Amino acid sequence: MKTPENVVLHVADVHKNFGGLHALADIDLQVEEGKTHAIIGPNGAGKSTLLNVVIGRLAPTSGAVVFDGQVLTGKKPHEINQLGVSRVFQTPEIFTDLSVLQNVMTPAFAKRDGAFKVNIFRPLDDEKAVREEAEATLEDVGLIDRRAVGAGSLSRGDKRRLELAMCLIQKPRLLLLDEPTAGMSRHDTNTTIELLKKIKSRGMTKVIIEHDMHVVFSLADKISVLAGGRIIAEGLPADVRGNPRVQEAYLGGAH
Ligand code: ADP
Ligand code: MG
């Protein structure tokens, strides 16, 4: 299997069956370093399945996932995460009993100490450095004023921003976002687009799954269109937008 040098993530000939259902077939996806690569498609197209295969939550039936020259297939989700792959989930996974600030500090400690080992002898000056980094990250995502409140009391849009901050503090090489603006108001959606553009300018590679065309066309460098578990079109946003197969499969599909 040959992966070009500027490709940071290569999903190579991946198939995923659930019983008799071909959720993914013949998937070949190449994500280039520093780019924002959008995956779009109607409900049930296989988008979340594809992301779950990349992060190790699902094993492909056949094929392989290569990240930064390393085969991820067979590795555990936390191992893949430690290699620099981070994902924002469709439903935010945050610690509702902790404060906003504590939530952002947790992954930074976990990264340093190994997956979710707690070190009660951690030196205080180290804690201070992590706190400062967490505050800077909260500033970035626009949540600094809410640092002391319980994460459970945040609005839905703010919970997603918090989850994004929890990913960003890990400084991943590859950030995967599954519908980052789902359920958000237009205002929150626009704020999130601005935030993602800011991250983009720092050169972080992103794969974004999104239904909202406004978000996709604002952010994507490249788009792959998934329908019925297959990539039916791929290219620059302008090309994909005008492709009749895409309009039929995606815009005509239920979403
Ligand atoms: P999307 O995210 O594009 O809406 P999914 O990846 O969630 O699509 O689902 C693709 C197809 O695979 C759907 O037909 C869905 O019902 C099926 N599917 C997803 N996860 C499972 C599972 N764990 N077991 C069986 N079928 C599944
Ligand atoms: Mg999905």
Side-chain angles (χ1 to χ4, degrees):
M1 167 184 16
K2 205 95 174 90
T3 304
E5 214 169 274
N6 60 340
V7 169
V8 74
L9 178 74
H10 188 183
V11 178
D13 197 20
V14 158
H15 293 248
K16 177 66 187 175
N17 302 336
F18 292 115
L21 176 80
H22 297 279
L24 296 175
D26 289 329
I27 299 291
D28 197 278
L29 185 80
Q30 302 195 4
V31 179
E32 291 172 25
E33 178 96 58
K35 295 282 162 64
T36 298
H37 194 133
I39 297 170
I40 66 171
N43 271 332
K47 304 181 299 293
S48 293
T49 302
L50 178 57
L51 245 66
N52 280 318
V53 166
V54 171
I55 63 160
R57 279 200 170 181
L58 286 173
T61 305
S62 62
V65 178
V66 180
F67 169 68
D68 203 14
Q70 299 185 72
V71 177
L72 298 187
T73 325
K75 289 195 193 300
K76 302 233 156 32
H78 75 267
E79 293 169 333
I80 293 173
N81 182 245
Q82 290 200 328
L83 289 172
V85 180
S86 217
R87 174 183 170 180
V88 178
F89 291 93
Q90 210 160 357
T91 317
E93 298 194 349
I94 58 173
F95 304 103
T96 51
D97 294 340
L98 299 182
S99 74
V100 167
L101 181 65
Q102 285 168 328
N103 265 273
V104 184
M105 289 172 74
T106 303
F109 282 132
K111 184 176 178 182
R112 200 209 49 186
D113 296 344
F116 299 100
K117 263 188 272 161
V118 176
N119 177 6
I120 56 164
F121 302 112
R122 183 185 298 134
L124 278 177
D125 55 344
D126 185 27
E127 172 144 352
K128 184 165 169 274
V130 170
R131 177 184 298 268
E132 283 170 5
E133 202 182 347
E135 285 175 345
T137 310
L138 284 173
E139 186 90 55
D140 261 359
V141 302
L143 279 180
I144 190 68
D145 294 342
R146 316 225 62 200
R147 82 195 102 178
V149 309
S153 69
L154 292 180
S155 71
R156 194 172 162 160
D158 283 351
K159 279 183 180 145
R160 304 212 96 199
R161 267 200 279 278
L162 172 57
E163 209 203 8
L164 188 58
M166 291 168 75
C167 283
L168 292 177
I169 201 166
Q170 300 175 51
K171 299 199 170 57
R173 276 200 68 198
L174 176 66
L175 180 63
L176 305 164
L177 304 122
D178 196 350
E179 300 197 32
T181 64
M184 281 188 183
S185 66
R186 179 49 73 189
H187 175 264
D188 277 349
T189 297
N190 287 336
T191 312
T192 304
I193 291 174
E194 288 314 312
L195 173 61
L196 293 175
K197 280 186 180 161
K198 195 159 85 179
I199 302 168
K200 183 173 168 174
S201 67
R202 294 178 195 165
M204 188 183 288
T205 311
K206 293 200 297 291
V207 172
I208 176 169
I209 284 179
E210 188 54 71
H211 264 149
D212 187 330
M213 284 297 153
H214 174 59
V215 177
V216 170
F217 289 113
S218 306
L219 285 172
D221 297 305
K222 189 172 175 184
I223 298 178
S224 297
V225 185
L226 208 58
R230 289 177 184 276
I231 293 176
I232 61 156
E234 196 166 75
L236 300 174
D239 300 336
V240 165
R241 197 205 294 255
N243 183 325
R245 273 189 86 189
V246 175
Q247 289 178 352
E248 187 190 336
Y250 183 69
L251 303 174
H255 59 274

